């Protein structure tokens, strides 16, 4: 047990690098998927309802609800609506930004200043994502009525979309940890030079 404690205590820097690598994997993967229709269409409710981002689209919420494709589904009428809305162009741009932030986090292993910026951008991006818990109705279980009415809808009952969003609390913490580590290493370099 004592050896395990020593190992864990002495491996902190490697674990911080693991956070950088993990963050990069998630961001590069998710950012890359933004080039595909199903992923671009999946973020429409978040962007359309956000006061920070809705201006990127030409259509207003909640019109998107009638043009939703299921994952893997390609209905030409819906695709045409998304093309007119700017869904795909915006998603590709967002994906590119996310991939760049992921690469900056990864570069932070060797380049402290880039890692500092990547960590801070991860934190900021997570703040925007978490704002969807306030702005996007789809993040909570809807009241569908039915034969057996339930009180388990609305806040705090997260839908699949809400459970996806709340995980950004972890990304927010990862961004701060890696930014803090990069700042510490920048300061150490200044002292040593």
């Amino acid at each position: 047990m004592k050896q395990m404690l020593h190992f864990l205590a002495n491996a902190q820097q490697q674990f911080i690098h693991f956070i950088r690598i993990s963050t990069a994997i998630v961001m590069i993967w998710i950012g890359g998927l933004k080039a595909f229709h199903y992923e671009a269409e999946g973020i429409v409710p978040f962007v359309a309802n956000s006061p920070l981002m809705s201006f990127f689209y030409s259509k207003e919420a909640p019109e998107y609800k009638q043009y939703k494709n299921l994952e893997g589904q390609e209905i030409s009428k819906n695709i045409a609506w998304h093309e007119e809305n700017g869904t795909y162009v915006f998603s590709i741009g967002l994906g590119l930004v996310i991939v760049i932030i992921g690469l900056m986090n990864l570069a932070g292993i060797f380049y402290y200043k880039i890692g500092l910026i990547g960590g801070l951008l991860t934190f900021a991006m997570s703040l925007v994502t978490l704002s969807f818990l306030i702005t996007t109705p789809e993040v909570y279980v809807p009241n569908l009525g039915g034969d057996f009415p339930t009180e388990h809808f609305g806040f705090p009952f997260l839908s699949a979309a809400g459970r996806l969003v709340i995980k950004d609390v972890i990304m927010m913490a990862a961004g701060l940890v890696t930014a803090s580590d990069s700042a510490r290493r920048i300061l150490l370099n200044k002292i040593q030079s």
Side-chain angles (χ1 to χ4, degrees):
M1 179 67 162
K2 189 174 179 182
Q3 287 178 325
M4 169 105 90
L5 291 175
H6 281 285
F7 167 76
L8 292 171
N10 294 326
Q12 184 175 15
Q13 187 63 58
Q14 287 73 29
F15 294 154
I16 292 172
H17 290 331
F18 183 56
I19 291 172
R20 286 184 171 97
I21 294 166
S22 301
T23 303
I25 289 169
V26 170
M27 294 179 115
I28 293 167
W29 197 336
I30 296 296
L33 288 176
K34 296 278 186 267
F36 296 93
H37 284 183
Y38 86 96
E39 178 66 21
E41 294 165 9
I43 64 171
V44 169
F46 302 115
V47 176
N49 286 293
S50 171
L52 301 173
M53 302 174 84
S54 61
F55 68 90
F56 285 109
Y57 289 161
S58 64
K59 311 282 187 186
E60 292 187 23
E63 186 180 338
Y64 59 84
K65 288 183 180 183
Q66 53 193 320
Y67 298 99
K68 182 177 171 118
N69 285 319
L70 300 175
E71 289 185 5
Q73 190 178 49
E74 296 275 331
I75 297 174
S76 56
K77 167 186 76 125
N78 295 350
I79 291 171
W81 183 91
H82 285 289
E83 286 171 347
E84 187 179 321
N85 185 43
T87 299
Y88 304 130
V89 171
F90 171 75
S91 187
I92 289 169
L94 177 62
L96 185 60
V97 168
I98 293 170
V99 167
I100 290 169
I101 295 171
L103 291 171
M104 291 175 80
N105 277 290
L106 189 60
I109 294 171
F110 305 105
Y111 304 102
Y112 314 142
K113 290 179 183 176
I114 294 173
L116 173 66
I117 295 166
L120 292 174
L121 287 173
T122 300
F123 174 79
M125 184 187 78
S126 298
L127 273 179
V128 172
T129 302
L130 288 167
S131 75
F132 299 151
L133 291 172
I134 298 167
T135 62
T136 308
E138 286 87 350
V139 299
Y140 297 104
V141 174
N143 182 359
L144 299 176
D147 295 336
F148 301 101
T150 177
E151 296 176 3
H152 300 115
F153 62 89
F155 180 84
F157 302 102
L158 294 169
S159 66
R163 293 189 300 272
L164 178 74
V165 168
I166 196 70
K167 289 189 248 179
D168 259 52
V169 170
I170 299 167
M171 291 295 277
M172 180 186 286
L176 287 178
V177 167
T178 58
S180 172
D181 180 65
S182 293
R184 181 186 60 78
R185 290 165 52 189
I186 290 167
L187 291 172
L188 275 174
N189 270 359
K190 286 185 179 185
I191 291 169
Q192 291 171 355
S193 50

